Amino acid sequence: MSTPHHDIIKHLLEQAEQLKLESRHEEALVLLEGILAKDPNNITALEEIADNELSLERYDRAEVAAKHAVVLDANRFDSHYVLGFIASVREEWERSISSLKIANRLEPNNPEILRCLGWSLFSAGHTVEGVVTLERALNLESHNPLILCDLGVVYLKMKEFPKARALLERALEIDPENLRVQECLEMAGRISERTDTGMENIA
């Protein structure tokens, strides 16, 4: 049986979720921090704080909230995903892989978790496993421009230029305003030209 306190918290969480969906992250954080003031161990509020801070690229603050949530309940995939994503941004690849593998075990077949895991695996030198994981993510969500872009960049680094360009062109069709996709596609074009003229030079 719910209590008035429980109902208020639930309503505030719903409001915060709506604000997050509208990209009103600072307003969402005000509500969520108010919940924590009343209920310091509210895991949902902590995970939502981590998610909003992640969107604002305030990684230290997101990490603190996610770590607190993991201490309270180690079986919540969201917190492990946030920690894995942050480690990836910092290029701490093995730490990223460790957290994302836990997230993937707790929430199998989640395209976003697999995307981040695949990128970290590839970046850590686990080439085959990274590519396979990104391909799995794409099979689950074939019109996701982020997955298409990451896989395109991976094939670009592997010097498989036709595959890379095809994936990046698909990503651009879906999201024409995506600057990262535009830059990667331009890079693919330049590298292809150098390769055709015998002047290939890619790290």
Side-chain angles (χ1 to χ4, degrees), residues 67-108:
K67 280 183 173 178
H68 189 179
V70 166
V71 168
L72 293 170
D73 185 350
N75 292 315
R76 307 271 290 207
F77 79 90
D78 286 318
S79 301
H80 292 289
Y81 163 75
V82 168
L83 293 173
F85 182 92
I86 293 168
S88 173
V89 169
R90 293 172 177 163
E91 299 187 1
E92 297 170 351
W93 302 120
E94 294 300 338
R95 183 179 295 183
S96 175
I97 290 164
S98 177
S99 291
L100 291 168
K101 281 189 170 180
I102 295 169
N104 183 52
R105 177 171 53 78
L106 295 169
E107 181 74 4

Side-chain angles (χ1 to χ4, degrees), residues 186-202:
E186 287 170 15
M187 188 192 304
R190 289 197 301 272
I191 293 167
S192 294
E193 286 171 15
R194 286 208 299 272
T195 304
D196 292 342
T197 57
M199 296 169 60
E200 179 184 353
N201 180 24
I202 181 173

Side-chain angles (χ1 to χ4, degrees), residues 6-88:
H6 178 269
D7 291 342
I8 290 167
I9 296 290
K10 184 182 175 188
H11 179 64
L12 289 171
L13 286 168
E14 288 169 354
Q15 279 186 295
E17 177 68 16
Q18 186 57 43
L19 289 167
K20 183 180 74 172
L21 293 173
E22 295 171 8
S23 297
R24 295 160 66 186
H25 301 293
E26 295 284 9
E27 294 171 68
L29 285 165
V30 170
L31 289 181
L32 293 164
E33 284 160 6
I35 293 170
L36 283 188
K38 299 182 181 71
D39 183 3
N41 293 331
N42 189 300
I43 296 174
T44 304
L46 284 164
E47 289 186 331
E48 286 296 311
I49 285 172
D51 207 14
N52 279 282
E53 295 287 11
L54 203 63
S55 296
L56 294 167
E57 298 184 0
R58 298 197 302 222
Y59 300 123
D60 288 348
R61 293 166 67 97
E63 185 177 37
V64 168
K67 280 183 173 178
H68 189 179
V70 166
V71 168
L72 293 170
D73 185 350
N75 292 315
R76 307 271 290 207
F77 79 90
D78 286 318
S79 301
H80 292 289
Y81 163 75
V82 168
L83 293 173
F85 182 92
I86 293 168
S88 173

